């Protein structure tokens, strides 16, 4: 008898796993259960009036041949080829990255370059003296870039995105920053070159980034897989080391399904999964409760003008800004925003379980802070709103990573269970790598690759995505 494949979650990881299974084994029985009313998860889009607003500045890599192939297959003529456009707001100046020559011809910028250079040289001396000490986040960045870069850029930015820097896993820090060459950055300020930011990417012309997931879902369904929206698991029954039955809630109804001949792939938050498995291991639950999850506010500002920002995505490393990033939706595709209007989105991240600002307070603070930016005219602002995302990131702190490893080790004893995804397996991934991870898991589940090959691929992909 052919095994059935049951997938919890229709985000990038879950959908891509289903797509990969169907690609290899067209007659495979695949069912996907998604709690929300649409597919796409954290890489989807909000439909607001005439606008499609992404949950973040997502993109499809042209450089990766597998992503390129799947994007072209799913979206075809509904693809735009875009070039990266980034800016960095620092010390009350906006710098394009790579910077323009004219941006460098001023006293403030020359002073910054001088401070970065002196700090870099001192950092190397500091490393020589302290090279046998433990490499924490601060020590590693200080040794590689110098104290000025650490205090002015890396530490405040990392705190906004990931939380307490003192708790970040040193291995993550090494992997995240090892590809960046400080001398190259300094050279960029002196002799600008596009090579540090060469990225070309695909983006759907119509439908926002949601279009990639809607198209993937339609392709899966055409190949006789089922995707159930507003449906989610509420219990899993174990018999020995196998899940033999599950209960799914669909609307107000509970449906029991025999899973003794099924493989279950879970992308849902690990604590949610542990709460529905009938063994209720309190030790694992306690570990899961210590996993630090980051929530996010997306503050959406709509302007009565065709364009608002100088560049598509702006980075704000300094503490004085509550947000770490702003992107302009219509600069990804003009077709995603009402004609003659523009929409910018600010990201604000914070620990999920803390008492944080409410939506009105966040909107007020963002409005006050962007009013200080010379390139934004609040007279053109039409509306401002905020959407809260409870599960946005898993913080890459050491305890969180250890807890995920311990939980995965125990759950790996369940023969017909696989974990994948940002909250299912603690993978620090973007949408591109979520697709690749899903395709690789699909290859494993259909016996196209072995367990050893899969583990090697995961290890290589994990290294690449942290560096990317």
């Amino acid at each position: 008898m052919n095994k059935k494949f049951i997938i919890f979650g229709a985000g990038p990881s879950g959908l891509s796993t289903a797509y990969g299974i169907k690609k290899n084994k067209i007659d495979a029985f695949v069912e996907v259960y998604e709690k929300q009313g649409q597919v796409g998860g954290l890489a989807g889009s909000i439909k607001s009036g005439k606008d499609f607003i992404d949950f973040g500045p997502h993109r499809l890599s042209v450089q990766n041949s597998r992503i390129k192939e799947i994007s072209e297959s799913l979206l075809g003529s509904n693809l735009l080829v875009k070039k990266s456009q980034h800016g960095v707001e620092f010390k009350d100046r906006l710098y394009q990255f790579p910077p323009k020559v004219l941006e460098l011809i001023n006293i403030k910028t020359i002073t910054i370059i001088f401070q970065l250079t002196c700090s870099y040289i001192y950092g190397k001396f500091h490393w020589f003296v302290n090279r046998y000490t433990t490499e924490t986040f601060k020590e590693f960045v200080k040794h590689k870039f110098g104290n000025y870069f650490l205090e002015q850029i890396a530490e405040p930015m990392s705190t906004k995105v990931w939380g307490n820097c003192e708790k970040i896993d040193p291995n993550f820090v090494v992997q995240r920053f090892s590809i960046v060459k400080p001398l190259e950055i300094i050279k960029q300020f002196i002799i600008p070159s596009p090579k540090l930011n060469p990225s070309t990417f695909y983006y759907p012309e119509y439908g926002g980034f949601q279009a990639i997931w809607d198209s993937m879902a339609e392709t899966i369904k055409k190949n006789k897989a089922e995707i159930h929206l507003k449906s989610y698991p509420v219990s899993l029954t174990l018999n020995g080391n196998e899940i033999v039955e599950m209960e799914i809630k669909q609307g107000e109804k509970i449906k029991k399904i025999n899973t003794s001949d099924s493989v279950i792939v879970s992308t849902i938050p690990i604590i949610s999964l542990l709460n529905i498995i009938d063994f209720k291991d309190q030790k694992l639950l306690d570990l899961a409760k210590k996993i630090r999850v980051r929530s996010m506010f997306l503050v959406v500002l709509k302007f009565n003008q065709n364009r608002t920002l100088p560049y598509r995505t702006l980075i704000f490393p300094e503490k004085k800004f509550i947000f770490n990033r702003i992107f302009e939706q219509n600069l990804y595709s003009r077709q995603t925003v009402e004609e003659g209007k523009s929409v910018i989105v600010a990201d604000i991240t914070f620990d999920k379980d803390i008492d944080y600002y409410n939506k009105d307070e966040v909107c007020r603070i963002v409005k006050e802070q962007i009013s200080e930016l010379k390139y934004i005219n609040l007279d053109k602002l039409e509306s401002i709103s905020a959407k809260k995302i409870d599960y946005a990131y898993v913080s890459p702190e050491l305890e969180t990573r250890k807890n995920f490893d311990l939980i995965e080790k125990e759950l790996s004893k369940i023969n017909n269970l696989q974990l994948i995804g940002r909250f299912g397996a603690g993978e620090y991934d973007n949408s591109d790598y979520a697709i690749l991870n899903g395709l690789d898991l699909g290859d494993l589940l259909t016996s196209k690759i072995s367990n050893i090959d899969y583990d090697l691929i995961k290890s290589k992909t994990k290294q690449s995505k942290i560096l990317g």
Side-chain angles (χ1 to χ4, degrees):
M1 180 184 293
N2 288 333
K3 278 191 176 295
K4 297 177 181 178
F5 301 97
I6 296 170
I7 300 169
F8 299 156
S13 299
L15 278 181
S16 300
T17 301
Y19 187 90
I21 292 169
K22 278 294 185 180
K23 176 175 64 72
N24 296 336
K25 194 174 183 180
I26 193 68
D27 62 340
F29 179 92
V30 178
E31 284 196 311
V32 183
Y33 292 93
E34 168 55 49
K35 191 173 186 178
Q36 303 303 318
Q38 67 177 34
V39 299
L42 288 174
S45 309
I46 310 161
K47 185 70 168 66
S48 177
K50 297 180 180 180
D51 307 326
F52 286 90
I53 301 163
D54 295 340
F55 285 136
H58 301 287
R59 55 185 62 197
L60 296 162
S61 174
V62 176
Q63 285 74 33
N64 186 290
S65 59
R66 295 171 74 194
I67 297 296
K68 184 175 185 292
E69 180 182 354
I70 200 170
S71 302
E72 292 173 353
S73 172
L74 290 173
L75 295 177
S77 60
N78 187 28
L79 279 178
L80 299 172
V81 180
K82 310 291 287 188
K83 294 286 287 184
S84 286
Q85 293 179 356
H86 286 88
V88 179
E89 178 77 23
F90 186 63
K91 300 294 183 184
D92 299 320
R93 291 187 69 89
L94 179 64
Y95 296 94
Q96 184 180 358
F97 190 81
K100 296 177 181 178
V101 175
L102 290 178
E103 292 177 343
L104 310 178
I105 308 174
N106 62 82
I107 295 298
K108 180 178 281 189
T109 304
I110 292 170
T111 303
I112 291 171
I113 294 172
F114 178 76
Q115 289 173 305
L116 281 170
T117 304
C118 291
S119 179
Y120 170 74
I121 294 169
Y122 175 77
K124 293 305 173 187
F125 174 76
H126 184 77
W127 169 83
F128 183 79
V129 174
N130 301 278
R131 61 190 182 278
Y132 299 116
T133 58
T134 303
E135 288 275 85
T136 62
F137 170 88
K138 287 187 176 181
E139 287 300 301
F140 179 82
V141 177
K142 186 187 295 184
H143 295 164
K144 190 170 179 66
F145 300 94
N147 204 53
Y148 183 82
F149 182 88
L150 168 67
E151 293 181 351
Q152 299 294 322
I153 298 174
E155 186 175 6
M157 185 66 177
S158 298
T159 300
K160 286 198 283 187
V161 178
W162 299 322
N164 188 343
C165 294
E166 298 289 350
K167 296 182 178 181
I168 292 178
D169 182 357
N171 291 323
F172 175 84
V173 178
V174 172
Q175 292 166 334
R176 188 72 178 175
F177 287 97
S178 63
I179 198 170
V180 183
K181 308 298 181 185
L183 288 177
E184 286 295 319
I185 295 176
I186 294 169
K187 282 166 61 179
Q188 282 288 303
F189 279 98
I190 302 169
I191 309 173
S193 161
K195 70 178 181 179
L196 271 186
N197 195 30
S199 181
T200 301
F201 62 94
Y202 281 144
Y203 187 87
E205 183 174 8
Y206 297 94
F209 208 69
Q210 182 69 35
I212 182 71
W213 314 118
D214 288 343
S215 180
M216 187 178 285
E218 284 304 310
T219 301
I220 293 167
K221 288 189 285 187
K222 283 179 183 177
N223 286 287
K224 299 182 180 179
E226 295 184 25
I227 299 176
H228 306 277
L229 300 179
K230 297 184 178 179
S231 305
Y232 56 96
V234 292
S235 76
L236 299 172
T237 302
L238 279 174
N239 183 7
N241 290 330
E242 186 174 9
I243 298 170
V244 295
E245 186 179 77
M246 69 178 186
E247 290 186 345
I248 295 290
K249 186 169 185 180
Q250 296 179 301
E252 296 302 315
K253 296 180 179 179
I254 300 289
K255 181 171 69 171
K256 287 189 176 183
I257 299 172
N258 186 308
T259 59
S260 57
D261 60 344
S262 303
V263 174
I264 293 175
V265 177
S266 178
T267 74
I268 65 177
I270 196 70
I271 193 165
S272 300
L273 179 67
L274 290 170
N275 273 316
I276 63 174
I277 296 177
D278 64 357
F279 65 60
K280 290 291 188 299
D281 188 319
Q282 191 58 48
K283 180 183 176 183
L284 294 186
L285 281 167
D286 289 342
L287 290 174
K289 288 174 183 177
K290 294 177 183 177
I291 288 173
R292 190 147 58 93
V293 173
R294 302 281 284 170
S295 296
M296 175 186 287
F297 272 118
L298 295 177
V299 179
V300 180
L301 302 97
K302 188 167 184 177
F303 291 82
N304 184 24
Q305 57 191 12
N306 199 53
R307 178 172 180 165
T308 297
L309 300 181
Y311 312 114
R312 187 183 297 114
T313 302
L314 305 185
I315 307 300
F316 295 82
E318 296 172 286
K319 291 180 183 177
K320 67 178 182 177
F321 295 105
I322 192 175
F323 41 85
N324 60 78
R325 175 176 64 187
I326 292 179
F327 71 94
E328 184 162 350
Q329 179 65 55
N330 43 283
L331 295 184
Y332 280 85
S333 170
R334 180 65 264 180
Q335 305 304 324
T336 58
V337 174
E338 183 181 358
E339 187 177 353
K341 311 289 185 178
S342 62
V343 169
I344 67 172
V345 183
D347 293 357
I348 300 104
T349 56
F350 54 97
D351 282 348
K352 179 179 181 295
D353 296 322
I354 67 167
D355 185 20
Y356 197 67
Y357 302 113
N358 62 38
K359 290 183 180 181
D360 290 339
E361 291 170 330
V362 165
C363 287
R364 175 184 57 79
I365 294 169
V366 169
K367 187 175 178 180
E368 286 177 359
Q369 292 184 351
I370 68 165
S371 69
E372 301 172 11
L373 303 174
K374 299 172 184 176
Y375 39 86
I376 291 184
N377 180 6
L378 281 185
D379 292 339
K380 297 288 186 177
L381 181 66
E382 281 192 355
S383 64
I384 180 169
S385 61
K387 178 177 177 60
K388 185 181 178 184
I389 301 170
D390 285 329
Y391 286 85
Y393 296 102
V394 174
S395 181
E397 66 178 36
L398 186 59
E399 184 180 22
T400 288
R401 292 194 153 203
K402 285 182 176 178
N403 288 350
F404 257 113
D405 288 342
L406 291 170
I407 293 169
E408 284 190 84
K409 185 176 180 180
E410 284 301 307
L411 293 184
S412 67
K413 296 174 184 177
I414 301 175
N415 298 327
N416 61 337
L417 177 65
Q418 290 281 347
L419 305 180
I420 191 173
R422 181 172 289 187
F423 297 103
E427 296 169 341
Y428 193 87
D429 54 2
N430 59 25
S431 54
D432 278 356
Y433 287 108
I435 291 174
L436 296 177
N437 289 344
L439 295 177
D440 291 335
L441 181 54
D443 287 345
L444 172 70
L445 296 178
T446 54
S447 301
K448 187 176 179 180
I449 60 175
S450 69
N451 277 290
I452 292 175
D453 288 335
Y454 180 63
D455 289 340
L456 289 172
I457 291 169
K458 277 180 67 176
S459 177
K460 183 178 178 182
T461 304
K462 184 181 290 185
Q463 180 77 1
S464 300
K465 71 189 175 195
I466 289 175
L467 298 180

